[in-house]
Amino acid sequence: MSEKVTKEQVYDAIRKVIDPEVGFNLVEMGLIYDVIVDDENNVKVIMTLSTRGCPLHQMLTQWVKDAVMTVPGVKDVDVEVVWEPAWNISMAEDNVKKALGAL
């Protein structure tokens, strides 16, 4: 059996996904709410988008899926986009808040 995939590995992979509208990765933006890895290395990513009408909705979710699939041992990826809690700038890391004028 392959090694157990960790949440940290998944978050590291998702850090490579950049939101082209703002130039920051989805993790530092605070858009990734949770990562669940089951006993068979299937991964579920629970995330949101900065706006409901985000024109990049499909692309961003596919990019997340593609990034997670690069983690050795991952069998399958399910990306669920949720709207609660609604994202706001306070969920972002300080470097993002500073760059966007919110700090």
Side-chain angles (χ1 to χ4, degrees):
M1 185 175 143
S2 59
E3 292 285 312
K4 174 87 168 115
V5 174
T6 66
K7 278 182 138 180
E8 290 74 26
Q9 289 174 296
V10 175
Y11 275 103
D12 286 345
I14 298 171
R15 279 188 178 88
K16 296 180 179 90
V17 180
I18 305 297
D19 182 328
E21 291 187 281
V22 291
F24 293 102
N25 75 59
L26 303 187
V27 174
E28 63 186 344
M29 289 279 300
L31 296 172
I32 306 302
Y33 287 170
D34 200 7
V35 168
I36 301 155
V37 182
D38 72 13
D39 292 339
E40 294 168 6
N41 286 339
N42 296 304
V43 177
K44 180 170 188 171
V45 177
I46 300 170
M47 64 176 286
T48 196
L49 301 170
S50 55
T51 59
R52 274 188 188 255
C54 179
L56 301 173
H57 182 133
Q58 296 294 344
M59 283 197 313
L60 285 170
T61 54
Q62 187 61 50
W63 292 343
V64 168
K65 189 172 187 170
D66 292 346
V68 175
M69 286 304 296
T70 67
V71 177
V74 169
K75 279 195 181 159
D76 192 38
V77 182
D78 176 38
V79 178
E80 180 182 352
V81 176
V82 298
W83 301 109
E84 296 293 327
W87 181 86
N88 65 72
I89 191 66
S90 72
M91 297 172 168
E93 293 179 5
D94 286 346
N95 63 314
V96 175
K97 290 179 196 168
K98 189 173 181 182
L100 298 179
L103 190 64

